[in-house]
Amino acid sequence: MNLEEKRNFNIKIYPIYKMFAWDLLFYYAISFLFLTEVKGFSSADVVLLDVSIYTLFKSLSQLPSTIITDKLGKRFSLIVGNIFICFSILFIMLCPNLIVLALAEFCMAFGFAIKSIAEPNILYDSIEEGEKRGKIFSILDGRGSSLYYYLNAISLLSTGFLYVVNPYLPVLLCFIFSIFATIISLSFYSLRTNNNPKKEVVPKATDRIAEYAKELRYVFRQIFKSSRLRYLILFYGLFQSLIAVTTTLDRSLLTDLHVPAQYFGIIYALLSVLSGIFSRSQGVIHKKFRNKVLTLFSVLFIGSCIISGLFAIVWVPLAIPMLLVLFSLGVRSSIKGPFYTLYKQYLGNFASSNVRPKIYSVTYLFENLCGAIIAFGVSRLLDVTSTAIVFIILGTIYTFVFIVLLYRMKTRVGLKPEQYRKEDINLVELK
């Protein structure tokens, strides 16, 4: 099979792979219930370990995962990442205490750190270079995201009822599907070219770390020169941290509102369908709103957080706050799908194949450090107040921060190529 055929095959199976592998199936809808009711952890413990410690581990994993991806290649790294995910689910099923749960979070963080670098680059490398490369990437990645959300919706319909029958059943199915995703990852072709294998010398780990540090310093220098990348990375880190922490807070809020376990799956199935619809429509969203997309996402997402908190504590008939809380969950789910795909497109624009993984690495490094700090603060707040109040506090703080941030981004992000300075878009090769 020649290089073009391998590229076409990778492009063909990528959406199918992402449908099964993008995130955990059968797990998230009941994860909060499983960890609090079955394993006996407190709400603060879950936020601390499942979000703060997880994101900290993911941050610490960025350097080794980038080195592994460069060393082993994107295909084999993807397989390794999926294997770590499988181990993490196994540890969650068996964990008797916080130490084992922390080990599970480490395995999951390391696995997703590798996958976050390898997955988009496998697809980018499979698409021929050209001015439409970013658009094609966005379409294919969005298609995979959409398929994942639809499959996730189907799985979630049964998750709550399975949990009532036996709380371990959804977690077991999550483990089985993770193994299946690992098997699919074996099908990708490596697109590495090696015209003279005899000349290939495998560097020592210390040499590779030194080489990587040199490359990373170069990327950091260019990022500091590029106001476009600085603000994109800052926005992504803050916004993704908010998504991560509210994902757990949503389940905590539904628990506080006494939503039965069997309805969790139905609610999250509907939310997953919404994410799938809007993920597939990311091209339409980008075309309609252009450089206003990030502003739109910010206003809707932060506003929905404040609504969730306010109407969860008002003294009115239960049906009204429940409907408004569910509406706010729907808004957040509608934003998550297109946000991930469009943001990878924005970060990957104007960058070559060997620079792009480093940009992603720096971005995820900042995201995880930021997420760990925010989640730690949220876990401390949960020790002294309710989930609804935490939503209000979080939404208020983010409102002020994003007003300033979006104002600064207005003249630095979302411009036409000719409107950027050379320093903003010159990441084409490592030096």
Side-chain angles (χ1 to χ4, degrees), residues 188-228:
F188 284 106
Y189 283 102
S190 174
L191 299 179
R192 277 184 167 182
T193 56
N194 187 15
N195 297 325
N196 193 350
K198 293 182 180 179
K199 290 186 177 181
E200 184 177 359
V201 177
V202 179
K204 297 179 181 179
T206 53
D207 294 337
R208 186 62 194 96
I209 291 173
E211 179 187 351
Y212 173 77
K214 181 180 177 181
E215 294 170 351
L216 200 58
R217 282 197 301 270
Y218 169 75
V219 174
F220 266 114
R221 285 198 302 269
Q222 300 310 309
I223 287 173
F224 280 116
K225 291 179 184 178
S226 171
S227 57
R228 170 186 167 271

Side-chain angles (χ1 to χ4, degrees), residues 261-428:
Q262 57 266 36
Y263 294 138
F264 267 65
I266 296 174
I267 292 171
Y268 277 95
L270 295 174
L271 295 178
S272 188
V273 170
L274 269 178
S275 295
I277 292 171
F278 281 89
S279 179
R280 202 171 184 89
S281 305
Q282 47 77 29
V284 176
I285 294 171
H286 175 72
K287 185 176 181 180
K288 183 174 179 60
F289 295 100
R290 295 290 179 180
N291 58 352
K292 304 293 184 183
V293 169
L294 300 182
T295 301
L296 176 69
F297 286 173
S298 304
V299 171
L300 292 177
F301 201 97
I302 295 170
S304 72
C305 289
I306 296 175
I307 288 173
S308 289
L310 285 175
F311 287 95
I313 59 175
V314 294
W315 294 98
V316 293
L318 182 61
I320 296 175
M322 267 302 303
L323 287 174
L324 288 170
V325 167
L326 290 175
F327 172 76
S328 65
L329 261 67
V331 170
R332 291 197 284 279
S333 295
S334 300
I335 292 170
K336 290 177 187 178
F339 172 74
Y340 291 126
T341 295
L342 288 174
Y343 222 86
K344 280 183 284 188
Q345 177 187 335
Y346 298 158
L347 286 170
N349 287 340
F350 312 117
S352 62
S353 177
N354 65 333
V355 174
R356 202 179 307 112
K358 277 64 178 186
I359 294 176
Y360 289 144
S361 180
V362 172
T363 302
Y364 298 141
L365 177 65
F366 177 74
E367 168 212 332
N368 292 320
L369 286 173
C370 185
I373 294 170
I374 292 171
F376 178 78
V378 168
S379 71
R380 297 305 91 194
L381 284 173
L382 285 172
D383 279 333
V384 297
T385 189
S386 68
T387 307
I389 297 297
V390 172
F391 262 116
I392 296 172
I393 294 172
L394 205 57
T396 303
I397 293 173
Y398 262 85
T399 297
F400 288 108
V401 171
F402 271 61
I403 286 174
V404 176
L405 180 58
L406 289 168
Y407 176 78
R408 297 286 295 174
M409 291 174 65
K410 189 174 181 180
T411 57
R412 295 170 174 85
V413 177
L415 310 178
K416 296 179 180 179
E418 61 271 16
Q419 293 177 304
Y420 285 112
R421 300 174 304 149
K422 181 181 178 182
E423 293 83 359
D424 288 326
I425 55 175
N426 70 340
L427 284 173
V428 294

